[in-house]
Amino acid sequence: MILKQASWSMIGSIYGFVVGFFLKIYLINAVGTEGYGKYIIAMGVISTITAFIALSIPQVLLRFLPAYIEKKEYEKASNLASFSLQFLLGIGSIVALLVFLFHNQISLIFHDHDKLLSLVIMFSAFYIPLSLYQSIMSASYRSLLKIREIILYGTFVMITLRALSVFIIYSFATSIYYFIFIELITQLIVLYLLTKKFDTSKFTFFKPFPMKEIIQDKQIIDYGKKMYFYALIGIAGGYTISLIMSLYLPASDIGIYAILGTLGGLTAFLLNNLNSVFAPVISKYHAAGEIEKLGMLFKDTTFVINIVSAPFIVLLILFSHDILSLYGHHVSDYTLALAVLILGSYYNLFVGNSGMLLLMGGWENDEIKIKIGNTIFLILSSLIFISEFGLIAAVWISTVSSFLVNSFHVFFIKKRFGFTPWEKYSLFIFIATIGVIYYFGFRTFPYKYSIFDYIWVGLLVPLAYWLPFYKKIMAIIKTIKENK
């Protein structure tokens, strides 16, 4: 079941990345890196606020709903789901109104009297309740292992509608705030579909506000407090670099960093989607004490995400100059910065779902310790180096942070569970990919690619990765078929 659901996540992730890649090129060429940078600043503010008020409730749902459903405690599941959705919609709407009213004051933190940034922050306020609503719906679908529905509506429908709207509207528009309207409308459509299609046979979201039942559940409250503390650390660590860059660097640099982050984070969208499948299964296996099965699953999922994405990382490195030039001629000067980010994000991929395994496997305290240390590192290094060295400092800080966090993940997983994310196949892939990143990413090659080069290299690289592991890949495919 896990691999079958993961295959849906992979398909949706690849579709989302490909469409999003061309969409972002089109959008940035229409609004410029400065306009896009102001959108990124606003999204950093809104995302920070949203994470702060979410109280880690989606993580609580992922932890408890699968267990309630497994035990057929549907009343408890309905109480938790109803409280979560109603509470977050209420508080999210109040905070969105405050941001809408005080958008001018918020924008002054970053830039003096910037009318466009102020408008972007004002309109972005409506993301807050919608994002909270979507986080609850996604966690609920994942708890039921209904990944296909999330991919269908939350990826295919949403991304397709957004892309078509952007290509139509930005054929004549040039301001970034039209993109915000597009995102809000498409998100409303997707939320309507997710709500309408939700299977309420196990639990519902519309019980009268069951506040008393949830507050009296000490296990939920204790776990929620711990996860909220974890979320606060995540807020500080997750947005430190972008927020400090917003204080010291021009909006155009913020836009370029966002472009590099999107490309350098090629692996992140695959890993995040696999985490969405993996989280409830970890909870289930851990509760049943099936640690050996969990270890085998961990190694297989790590191999899957490596073998799928490593060839694309290599192609990204080989064609990095040409790809960056699509966003603007001046952006192609940042190939080294992109290689640095890719190095860090690939190591994140190499260790697989390690953070999620600690979090959902009962070792939240280890994950919190790692996040605290990483947050301290990010804040101190960002304050010291970004104002002095600018964009290149930000990419190195991000990569070093990735190596530190993921290395500690592996250490604690080995200590707590007795296994690592790797088997021999994953190690071979890692060595080959790191070699290519270093050789082609950190050196300058004046070679000009032709259309024919794109074709034969684009075919050769995936084959070079997939043919040596043919038997392993077929074994995984067989497992997927057996679990249909």
Side-chain angles (χ1 to χ4, degrees):
M1 173 63 75
I2 179 68
L3 292 174
K4 181 181 178 182
Q5 298 293 338
S7 65
W8 273 100
S9 285
M10 292 295 180
I11 293 169
S13 297
I14 293 170
Y15 177 78
F17 180 82
V18 171
V19 176
F21 172 75
F22 290 105
L23 179 67
K24 189 168 291 185
I25 292 172
Y26 186 80
L27 179 64
I28 291 173
N29 278 285
V31 305
T33 53
E34 184 175 358
Y36 186 68
K38 291 176 181 179
Y39 167 78
I40 295 300
I41 293 172
M43 286 300 98
V45 172
I46 297 302
S47 298
T48 301
I49 293 172
T50 302
F52 185 79
I53 65 176
L55 301 175
S56 293
I57 288 177
Q59 285 77 15
V60 173
L61 290 179
L62 281 172
R63 178 64 183 269
F64 289 98
L65 283 183
Y68 288 157
I69 295 168
E70 182 74 14
K71 298 175 184 177
K72 297 185 178 180
E73 296 177 337
Y74 301 138
E75 183 72 16
K76 287 186 176 181
S78 293
N79 286 336
L80 181 57
S82 298
F83 171 83
S84 300
L85 180 60
Q86 295 167 34
F87 176 79
L88 287 187
L89 277 180
I91 193 171
S93 299
I94 294 171
V95 173
L97 178 61
L98 293 174
V99 173
F100 185 86
L101 294 174
F102 297 101
H103 61 278
N104 284 321
Q105 290 78 3
I106 296 172
S107 68
L108 287 173
I109 298 172
F110 303 99
H111 294 283
D112 292 333
H113 307 294
D114 191 321
K115 185 177 179 180
L116 177 59
L117 178 61
S118 180
L119 284 173
V120 171
I121 291 175
M122 181 179 72
F123 294 132
S124 298
F126 296 104
Y127 278 114
I128 295 173
L130 295 181
S131 297
L132 292 170
Y133 191 167
Q134 187 155 352
S135 69
I136 295 299
M137 295 305 300
S138 295
S140 300
Y141 271 96
R142 288 166 184 165
S143 297
L144 295 170
L145 287 179
K146 299 290 186 180
I147 308 302
R148 182 176 61 182
E149 287 78 1
I150 298 176
I151 299 302
L152 178 61
Y153 301 117
T155 299
F156 287 109
V157 172
M158 186 170 185
I159 289 175
T160 303
L161 287 175
R162 181 195 296 160
L164 291 174
S165 301
V166 166
F167 287 128
I168 293 171
I169 291 177
Y170 281 97
S171 62
F172 57 85
T174 58
S175 182
I176 188 64
Y177 58 74
Y178 290 110
F179 182 63
I180 297 173
F181 292 138
I182 291 171
E183 289 210 308
L184 291 173
I185 293 170
T186 54
Q187 194 169 23
L188 279 170
I189 293 172
V190 168
L191 287 174
Y192 170 76
L193 292 172
L194 286 173
T195 305
K196 185 177 177 61
K197 299 293 184 179
F198 189 80
D199 179 10
T200 57
S201 62
K202 299 291 191 300
F203 60 89
T204 180
F205 300 101
F206 303 109
K207 289 191 65 176
F209 192 53
M211 184 174 180
K212 181 179 178 181
E213 291 84 347
I214 300 301
I215 290 179
Q216 290 178 345
D217 193 320
K218 188 174 184 301
Q219 188 179 13
I220 290 178
I221 298 300
D222 289 345
Y223 183 79
K225 289 178 180 178
K226 186 181 294 185
M227 286 298 97
Y228 186 54
F229 178 63
Y230 171 80
L232 292 179
I233 299 169
I235 293 171
Y239 300 107
T240 291
I241 295 177
S242 60
L243 290 177
I244 292 178
M245 284 182 69
S246 300
L247 295 174
Y248 290 115
L249 303 181
S252 57
D253 280 4
I254 311 301
I256 291 172
Y257 182 77
I259 294 170
L260 298 176
T262 299
L263 295 173
L266 170 66
T267 61
F269 71 90
L270 291 169
L271 188 58
N272 290 340
N273 276 276
L274 196 59
N275 277 341
S276 71
V277 181
F278 200 45
V281 180
I282 294 172
S283 180
K284 179 180 177 180
Y285 283 173
H286 180 262
E290 297 177 332
I291 302 302
E292 183 178 350
K293 185 180 292 187
L294 182 61
M296 294 174 61
L297 172 64
F298 188 35
K299 292 178 187 291
D300 277 347
T301 53
T302 302
F303 172 79
V304 166
I305 198 168
N306 272 270
I307 199 64
V308 168
S309 60
F312 298 102
I313 291 174
V314 169
L315 292 173
L316 178 59
I317 284 290
L318 293 177
F319 302 141
S320 59
H321 183 275
D322 293 342
I323 291 172
L324 287 173
S325 66
L326 295 173
Y327 296 94
H329 181 70
H330 65 292
V331 183
S332 62
D333 296 333
Y334 293 90
T335 52
L336 176 60
L338 177 60
V340 173
L341 281 177
I342 289 174
L343 186 65
S345 64
Y346 179 62
Y347 188 67
N348 183 50
L349 172 149
F350 178 59
V351 302
N353 308 87
S354 302
M356 184 61 68
L357 181 58
L358 288 175
L359 200 59
M360 304 304 295
W363 296 101
E364 303 90 0
N365 289 336
D366 291 338
E367 179 68 0
I368 289 173
K369 291 174 185 176
I370 294 171
K371 291 297 184 184
I372 290 174
N374 183 55
T375 299
I376 294 171
F377 167 76
L378 286 173
I379 292 173
L380 293 178
S381 57
S382 296
L383 289 172
I384 293 170
F385 296 113
I386 287 179
S387 60
E388 182 71 22
F389 299 103
L391 184 61
I392 193 64
V395 298
W396 273 110
I397 290 168
S398 176
T399 293
V400 172
S401 168
S402 179
F403 271 87
L404 290 174
V405 167
N406 286 289
S407 295
F408 278 110
H409 280 160
V410 174
F411 170 79
F412 279 111
I413 286 173
K414 178 65 176 176
K415 181 178 180 181
R416 303 304 187 191
F417 296 96
F419 53 76
T420 68
W422 311 306
E423 54 186 356
K424 61 181 180 180
Y425 303 103
S426 297
L427 293 173
F428 290 148
I429 296 170
F430 177 75
I431 292 170
T433 306
I434 288 294
V436 172
I437 293 173
Y438 174 75
Y439 189 79
F440 290 98
F442 288 81
R443 303 171 62 174
T444 302
F445 289 88
Y447 184 76
K448 300 291 185 181
Y449 291 100
S450 66
I451 296 298
F452 178 72
D453 292 328
Y454 284 111
I455 296 173
W456 75 262
V457 174
L459 292 173
L460 180 63
V461 170
L463 289 175
Y465 272 91
W466 296 338
L467 288 179
F469 305 106
Y470 173 78
K471 290 184 178 179
K472 176 67 175 178
I473 294 171
M474 294 307 295
I476 292 176
I477 292 174
K478 181 180 179 182
T479 302
I480 295 173
K481 290 180 178 179
E482 290 174 350
N483 282 277
K484 283 185 176 179

